[in-house]
Amino acid sequence: MGLSRLDNFLKSSRGTILYVDPNSLDATDSIENQGNSLTRPFKTIQRALIESARFSYQAGLNNDRFGKTTILLYPGDHVVDNRPGFIPDGQNNYRLRNGSTTDDLPALDLTSNLDLASPNNELYKLNSIHGGVILPRGTSLVGLDLRKTKIRPKYVPDPENDNIERSAIFRVTGACYLWQFSIFDGDPNGKVYKDYTVNTHVPNFSHHKLTVFEYADGVNGVNISDTFQSYSTTRTDLDMYYEKVGLWTIFWSCN
């Protein structure tokens, strides 16, 4: 059987199953990849979650598909860059948790930086503004091996700095399902972020300010007032997430 015909048997044509395998030679997070084929999986969970949000989207109000996508994780080390994401201020500008501002969140293209090893990758910018990768509505995250499917955070809040708020690895929304993977500390042979800078540190310190799962807030308006940032709005953290994801949707809708 030719490879192209075999691929048809290994592909989820409607995007109901997305595959993530960081060890696959053919894995890629490129925006031309939909991740719905075993022969070409995504490299990262974060890229798959953005695709899950895209598959659920339909034009119009209050009519998006719900409970559509399962993300299947192959055994291996899955790194998650769970740093606080950008805060859209409604004026085509973004606030950062460190108090600075930027306009560096363009629509993604084939040259976009999706490498989680880079401090300026595009994927973390879509996170919750409090830190944590958001699981879109109705998404299932399923591992193939409880012990060998390992998830490691790239951001661990500084336990000795009271000005750095607590955070999470994932922020779940309604009807999410999570199964068959293990959560580990930051890679002891690598480095993590621990504050609102791009400085990295060996994660040999307490992780007690980092939880695994928290809810993404879709009810309360964002209100930040601390040493670094002062900003208040009626828009929720979840509103801001889908606003940022919309930049991806606009690109794909036009191509």
Side-chain angles (χ1 to χ4, degrees), residues 58-99:
Q58 291 192 135
L61 297 175
N62 302 318
N63 65 346
D64 287 352
R65 303 180 185 94
F66 189 83
K68 181 176 175 60
T69 302
T70 296
I71 297 174
L72 194 61
L73 306 179
Y74 275 70
D77 274 20
H78 296 263
V79 176
V80 172
D81 189 346
N82 54 310
R83 285 179 289 166
F86 282 12
I87 307 169
D89 63 7
Q91 301 178 13
N92 297 320
N93 212 22
Y94 300 90
R95 295 169 180 255
L96 279 62
R97 267 317 261 114
N98 63 14

Side-chain angles (χ1 to χ4, degrees), residues 20-254:
V20 180
D21 185 357
N23 298 318
S24 171
L25 293 176
D26 295 318
T28 176
D29 281 347
S30 170
I31 64 168
E32 64 179 354
N33 184 24
Q34 292 185 331
N36 59 344
S37 171
L38 277 169
T39 62
R40 202 172 185 228
F42 288 128
K43 289 182 71 68
T44 67
I45 294 172
Q46 283 167 266
R47 177 65 182 84
L49 289 171
I50 300 302
E51 197 73 12
S52 175
R54 186 177 80 89
F55 276 128
S56 73
Y57 175 79
Q58 291 192 135
L61 297 175
N62 302 318
N63 65 346
D64 287 352
R65 303 180 185 94
F66 189 83
K68 181 176 175 60
T69 302
T70 296
I71 297 174
L72 194 61
L73 306 179
Y74 275 70
D77 274 20
H78 296 263
V79 176
V80 172
D81 189 346
N82 54 310
R83 285 179 289 166
F86 282 12
I87 307 169
D89 63 7
Q91 301 178 13
N92 297 320
N93 212 22
Y94 300 90
R95 295 169 180 255
L96 279 62
R97 267 317 261 114
N98 63 14
S100 62
T101 59
T102 183
D103 60 359
D104 185 23
L105 189 61
L108 286 119
D109 58 29
L110 294 173
T111 65
S112 296
N113 179 5
L114 304 179
D115 181 5
L116 293 188
S118 168
N120 195 40
N121 71 80
E122 302 294 336
L123 292 170
Y124 94 89
K125 300 175 184 179
L126 307 180
N127 289 349
S128 162
I129 64 170
H130 301 292
V133 179
I134 292 180
L135 273 67
R137 47 204 161 212
T139 299
S140 296
L141 196 62
V142 176
L144 286 180
D145 187 308
L146 176 63
R147 292 192 178 276
K148 296 185 179 69
T149 307
K150 305 175 182 180
I151 296 178
R152 295 185 181 273
K154 193 70 176 173
Y155 171 66
V156 181
D158 188 346
E160 298 181 337
N161 186 345
D162 292 340
N163 292 316
I164 304 298
E165 68 175 346
R166 301 178 64 90
S167 191
I169 299 177
F170 293 109
R171 302 270 177 179
V172 299
T173 55
C176 290
Y177 176 72
L178 307 139
W179 186 68
Q180 200 78 350
F181 52 81
S182 297
I183 306 295
F184 285 74
D185 286 353
D187 185 355
N189 297 314
K191 292 188 176 182
V192 300
Y193 307 100
K194 70 175 185 179
D195 51 32
Y196 305 141
T197 71
V198 296
N199 299 325
T200 55
H201 309 264
V202 177
N204 56 0
F205 50 88
S206 172
H207 287 44
H208 74 267
K209 288 174 67 174
L210 182 69
T211 54
V212 178
F213 303 112
E214 293 187 18
Y215 285 107
D217 192 345
V219 176
N220 302 294
V222 167
N223 184 15
I224 299 175
S225 181
D226 58 23
T227 303
F228 306 97
Q229 184 66 259
S230 180
Y231 180 67
S232 181
T233 178
T234 58
R235 291 182 300 152
T236 68
D237 192 13
L238 203 53
D239 289 335
M240 292 181 178
Y241 168 72
Y242 283 109
E243 177 182 338
K244 290 179 286 188
V245 169
L247 290 172
W248 292 62
T249 304
I250 290 171
F251 176 86
W252 279 319
S253 298
C254 297

